Amino acid sequence: VPVEWEILHLNGNIWETVKARNRYKITKDGPDSLMFDPVVTSSVKIKVLLSRNYSGGIYEWVVE
């Protein structure tokens, strides 16, 4: 389980955090979703802070 995470989008040459409509949740053994204000971009990425001494991974990422 990560400590925290956020979604960023590329605005020109700068990565900016998307404006979330709900809070970034962290659920053990289950999916999390995030609603955010629409953006026009060429790239998105997830920034994740993992728990110390543990590995982590993403099972699926859907961008609509």
Side-chain angles (χ1 to χ4, degrees):
V1 176
V3 174
E4 62 185 41
W5 65 282
E6 65 180 328
I7 298 177
L8 299 103
H9 70 97
L10 192 59
N11 184 3
N13 295 336
I14 299 172
W15 287 100
E16 296 179 343
T17 303
V18 299
K19 291 184 179 182
R21 292 183 179 171
N22 58 309
R23 65 182 186 84
Y24 284 84
K25 295 187 318 180
I26 299 174
T27 305
K28 184 177 181 179
D29 297 327
D32 289 312
S33 63
L34 181 73
M35 298 296 294
F36 54 89
D37 292 343
V39 296
V40 175
T41 187
S42 60
S43 300
V44 293
K45 68 180 178 179
I46 298 176
K47 181 178 175 183
V48 179
L49 176 60
L50 297 175
S51 299
R52 176 169 237 146
N53 298 321
Y54 291 93
S55 62
I58 297 171
Y59 292 112
E60 181 177 25
W61 183 19
V62 178
V63 178
E64 296 178 359

